[in-house]
Amino acid sequence: MGSMAAQTQPKQSEAKLLVVEDDANILELLSASLRFAGFDVSTATSGSAAVSAAKNTTPDLVVLDVMLPDLDGFEVIRLMREGGQRTPVVFLTARDGTDDKIRGLTLGGDDYVTKPFSLEELTARIRAVLRRTTQGDEEPSRLVFADLELDEETHEVYRAGQRVQLSPTEFKLLRYLMLNANRVLSKAQILDHVWKYDFRGDDNIVESYISYLRRKVDNVQPRLIHTLRGVGYVLRKPAV
Amino acid sequence: MGSMAAQTQPKQSEAKLLVVEDDANILELLSASLRFAGFDVSTATSGSAAVSAAKNTTPDLVVLDVMLPDLDGFEVIRLMREGGQRTPVVFLTARDGTDDKIRGLTLGGDDYVTKPFSLEELTARIRAVLRRTTQGDEEPSRLVFADLELDEETHEVYRAGQRVQLSPTEFKLLRYLMLNANRVLSKAQILDHVWKYDFRGDDNIVESYISYLRRKVDNVQPRLIHTLRGVGYVLRKPAV
DNA sequence: GAAAACTTTCAGGCAGCGTGCAGGCAAGGG
DNA sequence: CCCTTGCCTGCACGCTGCCTGAAAGTTTTC
């Protein structure tokens, strides 16, 4: 019969997140999708609200917009840490990389993502930070499906033991497919998760990247990337 | 005598739906058939009515036309969620994919269906979203009848253990037959459920697709798809 | 600041699919 | 037994969705 039990959720460890963001649209986008990804999400829309929320709910990680109406993100963190909390942070920043303060963040185990970002980018960073800071129960950084291997830390990809070079978008797409192996993904879903949220292009770009991936990663038997005409794509082992 | 108790309804969990649609014809079509499919349906014909209806009846899922006279669908959702409701949504949208806002709909477990749609398409999406968002009591995604198996998530179909490839319409038709196993379905009924509601064609297309299905899926003993001359078709195990 | 790598769009081509038609066959009634 | 009616299915046509090469546009690298 069919393969097997669950393949339940693309879920991650059920960690508690605090998401701090003043733009209502982006906040909604983030909380909806992070919740769906299996996190326990609470929210705040200002710096001061964030500080007290962090005190009460003791999140495992904070997703924090740098630009806030009252305090800026760095102030928020300073206050939290004065209060004794060492919660790791993933910052959301605007693209003006001139901001020196961002540098040096990765030293403390924190990280940042620049707006606009894709959800795959953000969740990958969140997972990576949690992996680093949650010592003990090693969340593995290596995804494996059939003879396909992808290492989230080193960004290395192997098919049938052979190293394959992927561009950033190709990598993100493949990771998304692997995290959702055996689940059919529509082009709309792929666009929503792998491309930046402000992308205004059409579905065809997904077709293009599927084509690139096939050439680089799926050019041997058995084929793993399958098209379901009118429905979407799926990563799976061929019929029994 | 006869087979047995019930085989009651093609019922899904008796979930409460709120259907929001301003076109009276379509609203009637939807509420009638969703009710028949076993849902507990309430309706609204404007955005503001929808918001307050949602507050009062706390539906398990909202079917929401994007184009409404007062607020648009996105505003409705925004207001509902500001009110603390996390109800999942299936949007009904026009086909002109140019609508930027469509992006991001698949993120929180929500989904959308483009007009014109078939009732099978819509109910399948509703079931899928409920399955995903109702954690806990796993509604199975696999329909089984005799040695026929159909997986709604992966779109895989097996007959007697053998994998069978179906086109989208073939798949929808088979799903409809399986959801209504042991119930006689007229060609008109099939046309109404499996084909888009604006289809203006001939009954003969149902005959054609039944023929395709027989060839692909019913070419072994015992035959499961039966013709009732002058009445319709039925999926059932041969006489005792 | 030039070159290389990467992303995005465009367009041609192809295969799978949906639909209508028509000839043939089977069932049922007179 | 023949005629009628309803159903089955092969065929053909046109359309849609998908794939991919190439070019244009953008970002990164050196």
Side-chain angles (χ1 to χ4, degrees), chain A residues 125-145:
Chain A
R125 294 297 173 83
I126 290 173
R127 276 203 313 266
V129 170
L130 285 174
R131 203 185 298 128
R132 266 179 275 153
T133 56
T134 305
Q135 67 282 60
D137 55 340
E138 300 286 305
E139 193 76 42
S141 67
R142 181 160 275 236
L143 299 175
V144 178
F145 183 80

Side-chain angles (χ1 to χ4, degrees), chain A residues 187 204 207 211 214-215 227 230 233:
Chain A
K187 280 180 262 196
N204 175 257
E207 299 170 15
S211 174
R214 280 180 167 143
R215 201 172 323 173
T227 303
Y233 299 96

